[in-house]
């Protein structure tokens, strides 16, 4: 039987986008009940995956040494799928190779010099590829803008919505505030631009702001802390750290709106999670977000605090006066992003190379 190797070791960290992508794609492939080829998962902790997925998959225990050329995996799989563009693990042999590109933000965030190590590594992956998948049209266009993409089949396969079902929530979970609040979830880093939300909050006295996500980046104690201090909103901005799936759904269900002023997104899953609950979403108009948010989202075209507050106030008025229409549109759009559908499309890419 044909075998597909999924380089999926980033599944170890499901608090970031790559980990989420790995897990939900694998789950979708399991739901697909594929019988014409076998898949191998590469992961540091294979025991948890075996417990969840049984013998549907084969398993390879990830070792850091496999990132070194001499210790690369030597089995000649029929297809190798590199699940994101940053992975250093590569096959030893030249075999059919699928590369998934989430974004090329490193051009802006690290270096635009194509001789920089991170760019050289990405170019090597591009040149190794027999098929390339992108998680958005924006990811495809930006890759083609900055790099010479080889003449191989290219596909845009949208991510699915991780919230496939509404959970029955534990009533003992307490929200961080009893006031109406705006909600953000994601890494609290420079690219997420959340300090502008604190600045906007100074013009929205009736709302609090809840920020969920990893708080370990220096940005939290510098740029974000400075914005909160200068706007005197410390009693209204609540940084609650990482939260689980149940807590996330509770905050999404109870927020007044979802806010996401990100500067760089290859896709942007949190907005479609909020849409699943029919919540108004306010996004930056940058990178992939207009593509993902669609026509019923509200967009900031600059990050002046007063201007952002005006967009928010007008958007909430529009939402409240057309609430049923907007809620239905949001929910329909959110459901349209489906991991099971995405998994079937990836499976067809694998088959095309066998």
């Amino acid at each position: 039987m044909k075998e597909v190797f999924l380089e999926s070791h980033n599944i170890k960290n499901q608090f970031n986008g790559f980990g989420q992508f790995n897990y939900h794609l694998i789950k979708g492939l399991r739901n697909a009940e594929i019988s014409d080829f076998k898949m191998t998962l590469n992961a540091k902790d294979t025991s948890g995956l075996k417990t969840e997925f049984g013998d549907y998959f084969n398993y390879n225990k990830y070792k850091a040494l496999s990132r070194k050329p001499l210790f690369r995996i030597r089995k000649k799989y029929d297809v190798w799928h590199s699940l994101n563009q940053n992975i250093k693990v590569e096959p030893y042999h030249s075999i059919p190779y699928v590369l998934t590109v989430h974004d090329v933000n490193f051009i802006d965030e690290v270096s635009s010099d194509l001789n920089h190590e991170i760019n050289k590594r990405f170019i090597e992956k591009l040149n190794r590829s027999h098929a390339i998948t992108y998680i958005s049209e924006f990811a495809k266009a930006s890759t083609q803008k900055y790099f010479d993409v080889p003449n191989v089949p290219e596909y845009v396969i949208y991510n699915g919505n991780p919230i496939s079902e509404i959970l029955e929530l534990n009533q003992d979970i307490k929200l961080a505030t009893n006031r109406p609040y705006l909600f953000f979830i994601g890494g609290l880093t420079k690219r997420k631009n959340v300090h502008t939300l604190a600045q906007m909050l100074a013009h929205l006295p009736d709302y609090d702001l809840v920020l969920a996500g990893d708080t370990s980046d220096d940005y939290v104690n510098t740029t974000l802390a400075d914005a909160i201090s200068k706007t005197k909103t410390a009693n209204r901005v609540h940084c609650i750290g990482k939260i689980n799936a149940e807590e996330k759904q509770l905050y999404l269900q109870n927020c007044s709106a979802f806010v996401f002023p990100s500067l760089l997104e290859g896709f942007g899953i949190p907005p479609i999670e909020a849409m699943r609950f029919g919540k108004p979403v306010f996004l930056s108009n940058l990178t992939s977000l207009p593509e993902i948010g669609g026509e019923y989202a509200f967009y900031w075209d600059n990050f002046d605090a007063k201007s952002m507050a005006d967009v928010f106030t007008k958007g909430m008025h529009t939402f409240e006066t057309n609430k049923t229409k907007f809620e239905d549109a949001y929910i329909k759009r959110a459901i349209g992003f489906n991991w099971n559908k995405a998994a079937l499309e990836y499976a067809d890419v694998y088959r095309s190379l066998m």
Side-chain angles (χ1 to χ4, degrees), residues 184 187-203 209 211 219-231 233 237 239 259-263 300 303-305 308:
F184 167 92
L188 301 182
T189 61
K190 180 180 178 181
R191 73 156 68 174
K192 299 301 184 183
N193 201 31
V194 294
H195 68 281
T196 62
L197 297 176
Q199 293 166 343
M200 177 184 72
L201 203 67
H203 301 278
L209 172 65
L211 304 174
Y219 170 85
V220 174
N221 297 317
T222 54
T223 306
L224 177 58
D226 185 57
I228 292 170
S229 175
K230 286 181 177 178
T231 55
T233 54
V237 178
C239 292
V259 287
F260 203 71
S262 182
L263 302 175
W300 292 301
F303 301 107
D304 170 76
M308 289 179 71

Side-chain angles (χ1 to χ4, degrees), residues 97 99 120-130 132 148-152:
Y97 186 96
L99 172 65
K120 287 171 65 176
R121 186 165 70 243
F122 180 62
I123 291 169
E124 289 173 3
K125 294 178 84 68
L126 284 175
N127 291 336
R128 180 188 283 271
S129 300
H130 295 81
I132 303 171
D148 290 328
V149 177
N151 185 24
V152 299

Side-chain angles (χ1 to χ4, degrees), residues 182 200 204 207 257 282 300 308-316:
L182 315 181
M200 177 184 72
L204 300 171
Y207 293 95
F282 293 82
W300 292 301
M308 289 179 71
D310 288 343
V311 169
F312 176 80
T313 301
K314 292 174 183 175
M316 287 301 292

Side-chain angles (χ1 to χ4, degrees), residues 159-225:
N159 292 342
N161 191 336
I163 298 180
S164 57
E165 60 178 334
I166 307 300
L167 301 176
E168 185 174 336
L169 301 178
N170 183 348
Q171 298 302 312
D172 293 332
I173 302 175
K174 302 298 182 185
L175 295 171
T177 177
N178 293 321
R179 284 165 43 86
Y181 65 90
L182 315 181
F183 184 57
F184 167 92
I185 186 169
L188 301 182
T189 61
K190 180 180 178 181
R191 73 156 68 174
K192 299 301 184 183
N193 201 31
V194 294
H195 68 281
T196 62
L197 297 176
Q199 293 166 343
M200 177 184 72
L201 203 67
H203 301 278
L204 300 171
D206 295 332
Y207 293 95
D208 280 11
L209 172 65
V210 175
L211 304 174
D214 188 352
T215 59
S216 63
D217 195 274
D218 287 345
Y219 170 85
V220 174
N221 297 317
T222 54
T223 306
L224 177 58

Side-chain angles (χ1 to χ4, degrees), residues 36-229:
D36 56 319
F37 60 85
K38 190 77 174 180
M39 291 167 282
T40 296
L41 306 183
N42 193 41
K44 186 174 182 179
D45 177 15
T46 57
S47 59
L49 295 171
K50 288 178 182 177
T51 298
E52 183 168 2
F53 300 117
D55 61 3
Y56 179 80
F57 296 104
N58 291 331
Y59 302 89
N60 184 75
K61 193 167 182 63
Y62 164 75
K63 299 179 180 64
L65 266 179
S66 65
R67 305 194 308 176
K68 306 292 185 181
L70 185 62
F71 298 98
R72 286 176 174 174
I73 295 169
R74 300 198 176 206
K75 181 173 178 178
K76 288 187 175 181
Y77 290 91
D78 296 285
V79 177
W80 179 291
H81 183 185
S82 183
L83 269 67
N84 80 61
Q85 73 276 352
N86 294 331
I87 291 172
K88 294 181 180 179
V89 179
E90 301 286 7
Y92 185 86
H93 299 285
S94 179
I95 57 178
Y97 186 96
V98 180
L99 172 65
T100 292
V101 178
H102 297 252
D103 61 62
V104 291
N105 293 340
F106 44 85
I107 283 285
D108 295 305
E109 295 182 311
V110 181
S111 175
S112 60
D113 179 3
L114 295 185
N115 289 313
H116 189 280
E117 180 184 353
I118 193 171
N119 292 324
K120 287 171 65 176
R121 186 165 70 243
F122 180 62
I123 291 169
E124 289 173 3
K125 294 178 84 68
L126 284 175
N127 291 336
R128 180 188 283 271
S129 300
H130 295 81
I132 303 171
T133 64
Y134 305 92
I135 63 170
S136 65
E137 293 288 352
F138 169 78
K140 179 180 178 180
S142 54
T143 301
Q144 293 174 339
K145 176 181 178 180
Y146 294 111
F147 297 94
D148 290 328
V149 177
N151 185 24
V152 299
E154 298 175 90
Y155 308 87
V156 173
I157 303 177
Y158 287 123
N159 292 342
N161 191 336
I163 298 180
S164 57
E165 60 178 334
I166 307 300
L167 301 176
E168 185 174 336
L169 301 178
N170 183 348
Q171 298 302 312
D172 293 332
I173 302 175
K174 302 298 182 185
L175 295 171
T177 177
N178 293 321
R179 284 165 43 86
Y181 65 90
L182 315 181
F183 184 57
F184 167 92
I185 186 169
L188 301 182
T189 61
K190 180 180 178 181
R191 73 156 68 174
K192 299 301 184 183
N193 201 31
V194 294
H195 68 281
T196 62
L197 297 176
Q199 293 166 343
M200 177 184 72
L201 203 67
H203 301 278
L204 300 171
D206 295 332
Y207 293 95
D208 280 11
L209 172 65
V210 175
L211 304 174
D214 188 352
T215 59
S216 63
D217 195 274
D218 287 345
Y219 170 85
V220 174
N221 297 317
T222 54
T223 306
L224 177 58
D226 185 57
I228 292 170
S229 175

